[in-house]
Amino acid sequence: MPRFFIEAALASDQTLALPDTVVRHVHVLRLRPDDTITLFNGQGGEAEARLLTVEKRSASCQITRLLPVERESALWLGLAQAISSGERMEFTLQKGVEMGVTVFQPLATARSVVRLAGERAEKRVARWQEIVLAACEQCGRNTLPEVRPILTLEAWLRTLPPADAHLLLSPLGSRRLADLASAPRRLWLMAGPEGGLSQAEEAASLAAGWTPLKLGPRILRTETAALAAVAAMQTLWGDYAA
């Protein structure tokens, strides 16, 4: 059943005019009146709806029932990802949503290839949020993960966000996931850019309270490292093993 995000409160028997972005998808999918679609607004739960009209530039539907369906992991997982170039960053965001990441914190680091500031940074964050939204439509998540404004690593390290564990992916790390004393229910994971964090940045991260984590003996690319760690964490503490 086609799933669409809509910025509106959802109520049973409610009639809604669908936004332009959804109308375009309705046409691409060649949906017709009486076809059933699923709507969600990112606040939890979803609604089953029946298309009433499909016009060239508009479409409407009626909600037939509300479904208290949630597909969130019991593991709250924040990903602080150093900005990588082009499709690598978008791939990390998309797959991170599919794997259950709760919130994304983009970081500007010394070796980040892409440099973003001001209006350009705001537009890029908006683009990343669109990718997250589309990934939710595809994978069935009804709670929309947040993409936070870009921070420099220095600014990010000033405050240690609340969590049971703060793990930094590092080829120099010696700790393994199995070494954690207890299973976390809330954790932050930090990953570097293509060239990794500089020695100074890694030292500053460790001084700020982050634990260096190593994923096996091989060096992983930036678009692989965080996702491999997220998959392992969901297997150990999240919903992959449920």
Side-chain angles (χ1 to χ4, degrees):
M1 189 184 302
R3 281 173 45 86
F4 302 112
F5 173 81
I6 181 170
E7 290 188 83
L10 302 175
S12 186
D13 296 325
Q14 179 183 14
T15 299
L16 290 170
L18 297 174
D20 292 343
T21 52
V22 175
V23 173
R24 286 195 290 270
H25 286 298
V26 165
H27 284 297
V28 168
L29 295 173
R30 299 189 177 185
L31 299 178
R32 296 290 181 262
D34 288 330
D35 284 345
T36 302
I37 61 175
T38 298
L39 301 176
F40 70 103
N41 60 9
Q43 303 303 310
E46 61 189 26
E48 189 176 285
R50 179 175 62 89
L51 285 173
L52 297 176
T53 62
V54 178
E55 307 295 340
K56 186 175 182 180
R57 292 185 175 84
S58 66
S60 65
C61 69
Q62 182 178 28
I63 294 176
T64 54
R65 60 174 178 160
L66 299 176
L67 303 170
V69 177
E70 296 302 337
R71 302 181 179 92
E72 296 302 299
S73 174
L75 176 64
W76 189 101
L77 205 165
L79 174 58
Q81 174 66 54
I83 299 170
S84 52
S85 59
E87 295 180 356
R88 291 188 177 93
M89 190 69 177
E90 295 184 1
F91 182 85
T92 299
L93 291 165
Q94 182 188 69
K95 303 309 175 186
V97 171
E98 294 176 23
M99 292 180 175
V101 172
T102 312
V103 59
F104 297 92
Q105 175 60 68
L107 297 176
T109 63
R111 292 175 179 165
S112 293
V113 176
V114 179
R115 303 291 178 179
L116 299 168
E119 184 178 353
R120 189 161 170 252
E122 292 175 2
K123 288 182 178 179
R124 188 63 61 90
V125 170
R127 167 61 182 160
W128 290 337
Q129 191 69 68
E130 289 175 358
I131 290 169
V132 164
L133 189 157
C136 284
E137 289 182 331
Q138 181 274 323
C139 76
R141 289 182 69 172
N142 290 322
T143 300
L144 195 64
E146 176 190 6
V147 181
R148 295 181 176 177
I150 297 168
L151 289 177
T152 63
L153 181 64
E154 181 182 6
W156 170 244
L157 294 179
R158 289 189 191 122
T159 303
L160 197 65
D164 301 321
H166 302 82
L167 304 177
L168 167 66
L169 292 177
S170 170
L172 303 178
S174 58
R175 297 289 297 275
R176 304 171 303 156
L177 291 175
D179 294 332
L180 294 187
S182 59
R185 303 316 305 159
R186 182 184 181 95
L187 69 84
W188 271 98
L189 173 69
M190 183 160 57
E194 287 89 339
L197 298 180
S198 69
Q199 289 184 345
E201 288 174 327
E202 185 152 337
S205 300
L206 300 186
W210 290 79
T211 300
L213 175 70
K214 187 171 185 178
L215 294 178
R218 294 168 295 280
I219 303 296
L220 303 181
R221 295 169 66 96
T222 184
E223 66 270 30
T224 307
L227 298 178
V230 169
M233 292 168 181
Q234 289 286 26
T235 300
L236 288 172
W237 310 308
D239 54 8
Y240 281 14

